[in-house]
Amino acid sequence: MFRTAELQRKLPKGDYHQQIPQLRQELLMMQMELREADFPVIVVFAGVDGAGKSETVNKLHEWMDSRWLVARAFGELSDEERDRPEYWRFWRELPPKGRIALFLSSWYSVPILDHVYGRVGLAEFDERLARIKSFEKTLADDGALILKFWMHLSKDAQKERLRKLEKNPLLHWQISKRDWRHWELYDQFVAAAERTIMKTSTGLAPWKIVEGYDARYRSISVAIAIRDAIRFRLEEAKTQAAGAAVHLPEPFPSESGLPPVTILSRLDMDKSLSKEDYTAGLKRYQSQLNQLQRAARERRISTILVFEGWDAAGKGGSIRRITTALDARDYQVIQIAAPTDEEAAHNYLWRFWRHLPRAGRVTIFDRSWYGRVLVERIEGFAGTREWQRAYAEINDFEAQLVESGIVLVKFWLHITPDEQLQRFKEREQIAYKAWKLTDEDWRNRERWADYELAVNDLVERTSTHQAPWSLIEANDKRHARVEVLRTLCERLETALAGQPKPPK
């Protein structure tokens, strides 16, 4: 989930200072308009130590009108707070309509700390997250605009940040033994954070993960997100008042005005495989897959494969190399297109629940429920609220699959625009492939950048420990097919190793 926030993105100093004057003016004008609005703005900051939470809050105070901005941080309970229900101290600090409140160490801090330190188990942790979700829904249903930022650093970057602060004679007081203890527990914190975001990122109160490696980058990212989210809500209110229906911008544009660095742009697209290595790899992994699936069927372990990727990225070819190794009675391939009238009359996940495999079987989805946050998002078939809340809905759906014992493997097959164009032209010349090429494929090429940013969001929000994404460099078809088979075999081996053989 945090891979997209470990790219060490930076905003050059010149670009930063060029953007600041206009951004500050827009923030101040937005604040003036907000003062007359019928809703408050609640901004929550959480994340790893040293990722720049308090520094970002300070920067917002510098850029905005502090008279209409409040910051609150919650530490140990006071005697007064102990005498009252847990959420009393949060309720009393909520901002009035027309104001912005920035919360540090908010209602997320204690549940995460208690879980990481082993004071509460997973069940109680989930109950606390459910309470938070209910609390935020109550606020949002009453009109509050809730924005939540998770400030992230990789473990190495966090160590570097803590050391720099420790050596700074003016800032060393900020670092304590507790901070280093938290660094030692980094993996536990990240796991707890991932579960927190999965359970509490909703359309009404979405999380945005911000890379904290570069101070300029993180400050601009947060300020732009706040500006655009409030703008969206203000325009939405005007539209509703006027009774008109217009298309509005997304409340969280992907890094508006910032360098377009994505998780896909960091893949090594030169990876390839010789014909000899391909033939050997295909034989090896297809044989291994056949044996693993036989064992999985015997132990009643089901498998679901999800294939997403660019048009002409090779999804069909990879699927055929898998099915060749399987007994035809054990699998089904589900090709997902536009919903039928019956499917459109139900929740978008309904049709996928219908196709879940029986114990020991394999279901392969050629495109999937991720259409909600890809094509439906980009083409406007789903409203902003709908696709924003879909990340949490998908994470919950996939968690139910994995917790029931299903092996869930998700592939994104990535190719470059040039490679796609070449494959499109080849398809036009081959009679039995020409039918695959449609006007829609050409239209989608025109929105490549939008789709790439949507994929970046998809990986950021749905690549979890339980259901990680496997990003496959597919410019070379041979490499992609063998890598898909190898990954699938590896996941099945892990699942089989964790389950005892059935008694004879």
Side-chain angles (χ1 to χ4, degrees):
M1 181 174 286
F2 299 106
R3 290 162 67 184
T4 58
E6 296 181 356
L7 302 177
Q8 297 189 357
R9 285 175 281 204
K10 294 182 179 181
L11 186 62
K13 190 174 182 179
D15 293 349
Y16 174 80
H17 288 296
Q18 184 178 1
Q19 292 188 51
I20 293 303
Q22 179 68 23
L23 179 58
R24 291 187 65 176
Q25 180 181 352
E26 291 171 346
L27 289 169
L28 291 168
M29 295 298 292
M30 172 268 297
Q31 271 189 289
M32 289 180 62
E33 188 174 353
L34 178 64
R35 285 168 55 187
E36 305 300 321
D38 194 34
F39 62 91
V41 179
I42 297 169
V43 185
V44 175
F45 291 89
V48 303
D49 296 331
K53 299 183 289 293
S54 60
E55 292 88 345
T56 302
V57 169
N58 289 340
K59 188 61 69 175
L60 291 172
H61 269 280
E62 178 186 331
W63 290 344
M64 301 171 77
D65 189 334
S66 294
R67 293 174 298 176
W68 310 101
L69 189 69
V70 297
R72 295 290 183 265
F74 301 92
E76 294 293 327
L77 289 169
S78 67
D79 291 340
E80 184 182 32
E81 290 167 340
R82 288 192 185 92
D83 289 339
R84 290 173 168 82
E86 178 184 6
Y87 276 66
W88 176 77
R89 62 175 178 164
F90 304 130
W91 274 103
R92 66 200 292 257
E93 299 292 352
L94 294 177
K97 294 176 181 178
R99 305 288 183 89
I100 302 173
L102 311 175
F103 288 102
L104 289 159
S105 301
S106 65
W107 39 91
Y108 286 97
S109 299
V110 172
I112 290 175
L113 284 170
D114 282 350
H115 182 57
V116 169
Y117 278 93
R119 293 189 285 265
V120 301
L122 193 60
E124 185 176 345
F125 183 46
D126 283 348
E127 289 177 5
R128 293 191 183 187
L129 296 179
R131 178 176 296 172
I132 288 173
K133 189 175 178 180
S134 177
F135 170 60
E136 292 177 346
K137 185 177 187 303
T138 299
L139 302 180
D141 286 347
D142 194 46
L145 172 61
I146 303 174
L147 310 173
K148 300 183 295 191
F149 297 95
W150 184 271
M151 316 295 278
H152 185 71
L153 289 172
S154 67
K155 190 173 184 179
D156 289 341
Q158 185 187 31
K159 184 179 182 180
E160 179 183 349
R161 179 69 49 78
L162 293 177
R163 281 180 172 173
K164 284 184 178 179
L165 290 171
E166 208 172 39
K167 292 177 180 178
N168 190 317
L170 298 178
L171 301 176
H172 68 88
W173 59 270
Q174 296 182 7
I175 307 303
S176 66
K177 291 182 179 179
R178 181 173 179 267
D179 295 308
W180 283 112
R181 172 60 175 155
H182 286 180
W183 177 77
E184 293 173 354
L185 295 170
Y186 179 91
D187 291 340
Q188 292 92 315
F189 271 104
V190 167
E194 182 178 275
R195 192 169 189 86
T196 297
I197 293 170
M198 281 176 53
K199 296 288 186 180
T200 63
S201 190
T202 65
L204 294 174
W207 280 100
K208 180 174 179 62
I209 300 173
V210 177
E211 184 170 6
Y213 182 79
D214 178 67
R216 292 188 291 267
Y217 177 88
R218 69 172 181 249
S219 299
I220 290 284
S221 295
V222 170
I224 286 175
I226 291 174
R227 179 202 66 189
D228 290 347
I230 296 176
R231 272 183 176 175
F232 174 86
R233 176 60 68 84
L234 290 169
E235 290 300 316
E236 186 179 56
K238 291 178 184 177
T239 302
Q240 291 174 348
V246 299
H247 291 290
L248 298 171
E250 301 170 6
F252 271 156
S254 296
E255 317 299 7
S256 174
L258 299 176
V261 179
T262 70
I263 193 72
L264 296 180
S265 67
R266 292 301 179 91
L267 296 179
D268 180 4
M269 300 308 296
D270 292 328
K271 289 185 177 180
S272 62
L273 210 59
S274 68
K275 187 173 182 179
E276 293 75 15
D277 289 340
Y278 170 68
T279 301
L282 199 64
K283 182 177 180 180
R284 172 188 175 185
Y285 290 116
Q286 286 181 332
S287 174
Q288 187 176 354
L289 176 58
N290 181 274
Q291 297 175 33
L292 290 168
Q293 171 51 27
R294 288 175 183 271
R297 183 178 58 191
E298 182 182 355
R299 301 188 199 182
R300 301 180 63 78
I301 297 175
S302 302
T303 302
I304 292 178
L305 306 180
V306 171
F307 280 87
E308 294 283 357
W310 302 104
D311 296 324
K315 297 182 291 296
S318 294
I319 289 171
R320 286 192 294 274
R321 271 64 186 182
I322 291 171
T323 56
T324 298
L326 303 178
D327 187 322
R329 293 169 294 185
D330 289 344
Y331 71 84
Q332 60 173 341
V333 178
I334 308 297
Q335 293 186 332
I336 299 300
T340 64
D341 290 342
E342 181 186 24
E343 292 167 341
H346 293 80
N347 180 282
Y348 72 99
L349 289 173
W350 178 75
R351 59 173 170 168
F352 303 108
W353 277 104
R354 295 178 70 201
H355 289 300
L356 298 185
R358 295 181 61 181
R361 306 292 175 85
V362 180
T363 294
I364 303 171
F365 287 98
D366 185 348
R367 301 205 183 276
S368 67
W369 43 92
Y370 284 99
R372 188 67 157 191
V373 293
L374 290 173
V375 65
E376 291 186 38
R377 168 186 173 176
I378 300 301
E379 304 300 335
F381 300 136
T384 301
R385 300 290 186 207
E386 292 176 312
W387 67 256
Q388 280 279 5
R389 68 171 180 260
Y391 297 111
E393 295 165 349
I394 288 170
N395 282 333
D396 181 63
F397 170 53
E398 293 180 349
Q400 292 183 64
L401 300 182
V402 175
E403 288 164 7
S404 71
I406 291 173
V407 179
L408 176 60
V409 190
K410 303 184 299 189
F411 296 105
W412 176 269
L413 271 60
H414 184 56
I415 55 176
T416 59
D418 289 344
E419 177 64 24
Q420 185 189 60
L421 180 60
Q422 181 179 332
R423 293 185 186 185
F424 277 8
K425 290 180 177 179
E426 289 175 355
R427 283 184 175 183
E428 288 180 322
Q429 304 303 317
I430 302 175
Y432 64 86
K433 287 188 177 183
W435 65 270
K436 293 183 178 182
L437 194 59
T438 66
D439 292 340
E440 184 178 346
D441 295 329
W442 290 106
R443 285 197 305 271
N444 289 343
R445 271 185 62 81
E446 296 175 3
R447 304 200 67 180
W448 185 285
D450 293 333
Y451 274 100
E452 183 164 341
L453 289 171
V455 174
N456 194 75
D457 289 347
L458 175 155
V459 175
E460 175 182 287
R461 302 190 189 193
T462 65
S463 190
T464 65
H465 284 299
Q466 286 183 310
W469 276 98
S470 295
L471 307 179
I472 307 295
E473 300 90 343
N475 268 4
D476 181 78
K477 293 181 180 180
R478 291 192 290 257
H479 168 267
R481 291 166 181 173
V482 170
E483 185 64 15
V484 164
L485 284 165
R486 185 198 66 77
T487 302
L488 175 55
C489 288
E490 184 179 88
R491 293 291 301 279
L492 280 172
E493 279 185 319
T494 300
L496 289 166
Q499 182 173 323
K501 294 182 179 180
K504 293 183 179 181

